Amino acid sequence: MGELKLMKGNEALAEAAIRAGVDGYFGYPITPQSEVIEYLMAEKPHDRTGMVVLQAESEVAAINMLYGAGATGKKAMTSSSSPGISLMQEGLSYLAGAEIPCVVANIVRGGPGLGDIQPAQSDYFQSVKGGGHGDYRLPVLAPASVQEMSDFVPLSFDLAFKYRTPVLIVSDGLIGQMMEKVELFDTMPRLTDEEVTARYPWGTNGKPKGGERRIMTSLDLDPHKLEKHNFHLQDKYRTLEEDEVKYELIDCDDADYVIVAYGSSSRIAQKSIQLARKEGIKVGLLRPITLWPFPKKQINALIKQGVKGFLSVEMSAGQMVEDILLTVGDRTKVAHFGRYGGVIHSPEEVLEALKQKIIGG
Amino acid sequence: MTEEIIIAGFGGQGVLSMGKILAYSGIMQDQEVSWMPSYGPEMRGGTANVTVIVSDERISSPTLTCYDTAIILNQQSMDKFESTVKPGGVLIYDPNGITHFPTRTDITIYTIEGAKLAADMGNTKIFNMVVLGAYLKVKPIVQLENVIKGLKKSLPERYHKLIPLNEDAITMGMKNVVTS
């Protein structure tokens, strides 16, 4: 068993970055995720693993530092919160186009605009539909505990390098700020330059003698070549949809109704399910762990199993519910219950919404 | 066993660290714990509160609307949280600074003169540990030895010399908590 600690979600993410053998973290502080860079600065990761931590002059600079570092085959990471992530969208589109692996964590806060600093899930569209321009998708992981804030860092890097893509970790102020028990994984050594070259021959770390010049770019002025590149990207996204869907089912075996919720909302919904079952209402929870690719097959399976309605519980005005509707169509009832602008649902009001919108409605 | 607690008072009273020590103590005896603070601009000089859950099972929602126990350390928190204690639950408060005393009859109410006892012991900073002692007397969900282990784990080495003082404060709280 690894080392047990009581940590904030943000701190667990930062510690996991050091332990996952990340080469560089580039970031700019913003509430409610400033603990990430604060923790990294205090821990002096350069002394521990040689990891570089740099406070960039802005989020725009940070994301482009990821472009540079990631292009060489190094593990590069940043984190921010909603307004900062919006600033990074241009960079994310370029990274996706140039197929540069990196990990970006968004500790979502209330919006739109500067919004507030309380938890929200209103960046779902931006995360899963492509917040920047062009035809691209990003794998999106949604941790629901401090443990997952730690575990999803190495998991994200695995995906990022396997598919040569930026990966998003989408959490929120609640998971970032709360403390829970976390079992830390053992430190993985950073790869040496030789190992990076051997493993990632695409990396721009110097032209080998007699070898070809390697270019990491999203620019191609020949439309036919660019279309071909897009075909390749789309193939990659189809593979991701086929192979990398992750989800958790709680109490779904005998469920008449299913709440679909991720991250913080899924924690609150778990309590609502307990309350419902005390009243004899058979409710289960489907928790998407990957928001993209979305667990469509699992929703189909639940419909086949006889589920009579889905309630999407989100800290937003209704974003994920659109993906549920796309999958369900008119086969069964789908409704949304949201609190937003930084307000968190109470477990009781989620149950009430289920009764009104799904069971009674 | 699942114990859902709200600890509420002024910023600076040690509300958040009391919750943290309680959570760490739970980890020391292999339980699941969560610690969810109110965070935001209102914390500066204003009220601070934290929801702590200690359980033998996986914890669902880290934020709640009703609690098994409320530990209340100022009037604003009394106004806000007296009504949130579950029927049959527990309310512990320090009467220092309280002007409107709790009136509920369906819960058990205890008082602890935390501020006064800490001052008598010559260190007002251990106020929160006196209150923690009072709570642990009423609800012995974690053993004292695990609290000490938790303190060792959560405090930097240079503060370990203060652990006996904290232990005395907890004991003082245990001895002096009274039914209201």
Side-chain angles (χ1 to χ4, degrees):
Chain A
M1 200 169 174
E3 192 183 343
L4 282 180
K5 276 203 151 187
L6 181 71
M7 289 182 119
K8 284 190 172 193
N10 288 333
E11 295 167 345
L13 182 92
E15 177 63 29
I18 304 172
R19 288 177 181 241
V22 170
D23 297 294
Y25 172 94
F26 310 95
Y28 188 81
I30 178 172
T31 312
Q33 67 79 55
S34 295
E35 289 86 356
V36 178
I37 196 164
E38 201 178 308
Y39 183 93
L40 285 172
M41 289 291 184
E43 275 297 308
K44 300 190 174 70
H46 196 266
D47 296 348
R48 281 174 59 182
T49 66
M51 173 184 176
V52 171
V53 179
L54 186 81
Q55 180 172 332
E57 63 268 42
S58 71
E59 289 87 349
V60 176
I63 195 72
N64 286 293
M65 288 173 185
L66 258 65
Y67 192 107
T72 65
K74 296 277 183 183
K75 284 185 180 172
M77 180 171 169
T78 188
S79 61
S80 187
S81 181
S82 308
I85 296 289
S86 287
L87 288 168
M88 294 182 184
Q89 292 306 321
E90 181 200 44
L92 281 167
S93 168
Y94 281 52
L95 283 153
E99 300 194 84
I100 295 174
C102 64
V103 173
V104 176
N106 181 4
I107 312 300
V108 182
R109 60 188 238 181
L114 268 183
D116 60 21
I117 59 173
Q118 305 301 328
Q121 295 181 318
S122 40
D123 297 357
Y124 179 91
F125 282 155
Q126 185 193 56
S127 311
V128 307
K129 309 285 181 191
H133 58 280
D135 275 317
Y136 77 94
R137 296 282 193 172
L138 300 179
V140 182
L141 291 165
S145 63
V146 174
Q147 184 66 54
E148 288 186 344
M149 286 290 269
S150 166
D151 295 346
F152 285 6
V153 173
L155 182 64
S156 298
F157 274 105
D158 287 349
L159 284 172
F161 279 89
K162 185 174 173 187
Y163 293 96
R164 279 187 62 185
T165 175
V167 173
L168 285 182
I169 296 175
V170 171
S171 183
D172 61 65
L174 193 153
I175 308 257
Q177 293 296 326
M178 83 165 155
M179 288 205 275
E180 285 187 311
K181 181 166 79 174
V182 53
E183 186 184 343
L184 298 168
F185 56 87
D186 293 336
T187 303
M188 312 167 188
R190 284 174 50 244
L191 298 181
T192 62
D193 288 352
E194 291 72 29
E195 285 169 327
V196 169
T197 310
R199 251 189 231 196
Y200 311 122
W202 44 262
T204 48
N205 38 26
K207 180 174 165 295
K209 257 204 174 122
E212 270 186 41
R213 199 158 71 107
R214 297 189 287 263
I215 303 169
M216 300 297 266
T217 181
S218 58
L219 175 77
D220 199 328
L221 292 174
D222 178 342
H224 294 289
K225 276 170 77 184
L226 187 59
E227 189 186 39
K228 226 173 145 187
H229 177 60
N230 267 284
F231 288 155
H232 159 69
L233 291 178
Q234 292 303 317
D235 285 347
K236 175 162 91 177
Y237 301 145
R238 296 297 88 74
T239 312
L240 267 153
E241 284 177 326
E242 206 51 51
D243 296 347
E244 305 295 350
V245 174
K246 288 182 179 57
Y247 59 86
E248 183 186 12
L249 292 172
I250 296 175
D251 290 342
C252 281
D253 288 348
D254 64 342
D256 291 324
Y257 310 99
V258 166
I259 294 176
V260 188
Y262 68 92
S264 296
S265 293
S266 74
R267 296 288 297 268
I268 290 144
Q270 263 170 266
K271 186 92 181 175
S272 312
I273 287 167
Q274 291 164 8
L275 297 172
R277 287 196 172 251
K278 271 186 200 157
E279 295 182 19
I281 308 167
K282 288 179 186 166
V283 193
L285 174 74
L286 166 61
R287 170 169 85 92
I289 293 172
T290 50
L291 303 183
W292 190 87
F294 193 69
K296 292 179 190 166
K297 282 184 190 164
Q298 201 50 47
I299 289 183
N300 285 326
L302 287 166
I303 296 173
K304 272 202 194 114
Q305 190 189 302
V307 168
K308 289 181 277 191
F310 294 90
L311 182 70
S312 186
V313 175
E314 308 167 53
M315 293 191 288
S316 81
Q319 303 194 8
M320 181 177 67
V321 67
E322 291 192 3
D323 283 333
I324 303 171
L325 275 165
L326 270 175
T327 313
V328 175
D330 54 8
R331 287 181 289 171
T332 186
K333 224 180 285 178
V334 176
H336 165 259
F337 177 58
R339 295 299 304 263
Y340 32 105
V343 179
I344 307 168
H345 312 86
S346 75
E348 291 81 7
E349 65 185 6
V350 170
L351 176 58
E352 197 49 42
L354 180 81
K355 286 179 186 168
Q356 286 187 4
K357 297 184 174 206
I358 297 288
I359 302 175
Chain B
M1 191 284 295
T2 297
E3 167 80 352
E4 299 172 334
I5 313 147
I6 181 90
I7 309 171
F10 285 121
Q13 275 180 318
V15 164
L16 299 184
S17 52
M18 192 198 322
K20 194 172 158 184
I21 290 158
L22 188 57
Y24 242 122
S25 314
I27 293 182
M28 291 302 129
Q29 48 187 46
D30 214 17
Q31 283 166 309
E32 298 301 319
V33 298
S34 75
W35 175 98
M36 181 67 213
S38 62
Y39 74 95
E42 81 278 6
M43 276 171 71
R44 285 171 207 274
T47 56
N49 69 70
V50 61
T51 302
V52 177
I53 306 174
V54 180
S55 178
D56 297 327
E57 288 153 35
R58 173 173 164 175
I59 292 167
S60 57
S61 179
T63 62
L64 301 162
T65 46
C66 49
Y67 308 91
D68 298 309
T69 302
I71 300 171
I72 292 175
L73 304 174
N74 67 6
Q75 185 60 50
Q76 284 98 317
S77 303
M78 184 68 84
D79 298 341
K80 196 169 170 189
F81 293 111
E82 183 189 353
S83 62
T84 65
V85 180
K86 294 177 195 169
V90 165
L91 189 157
I92 301 171
Y93 73 101
D94 185 337
N96 180 37
I98 299 290
T99 46
H100 304 290
F101 294 94
T103 53
R104 279 180 66 180
T105 53
D106 61 336
I107 57 175
T108 317
I109 298 172
Y110 298 88
T111 57
I112 176 71
E113 291 274 3
K116 188 176 168 297
L117 288 163
D120 289 350
M121 288 176 76
N123 189 339
T124 51
K125 284 184 191 160
I126 53 170
F127 161 71
N128 61 345
M129 299 307 285
V130 176
V131 177
L132 179 64
Y135 168 71
L136 291 176
K137 174 74 181 173
V138 176
K139 291 244 176 138
I141 58 160
V142 288
Q143 292 162 346
L144 186 56
E145 58 175 89
N146 289 322
V147 179
I148 304 305
K149 272 195 213 161
L151 276 169
K152 278 193 185 134
K153 187 107 175 151
S154 60
L155 289 175
E157 196 100 16
R158 63 183 186 278
Y159 294 128
H160 282 195
K161 59 177 191 289
L162 296 172
I163 289 176
L165 175 67
N166 280 279
E167 195 172 350
D168 290 348
I170 293 171
T171 314
M172 185 63 85
M174 286 179 161
K175 281 186 193 148
N176 287 285
V177 61
V178 289
T179 331
S180 175

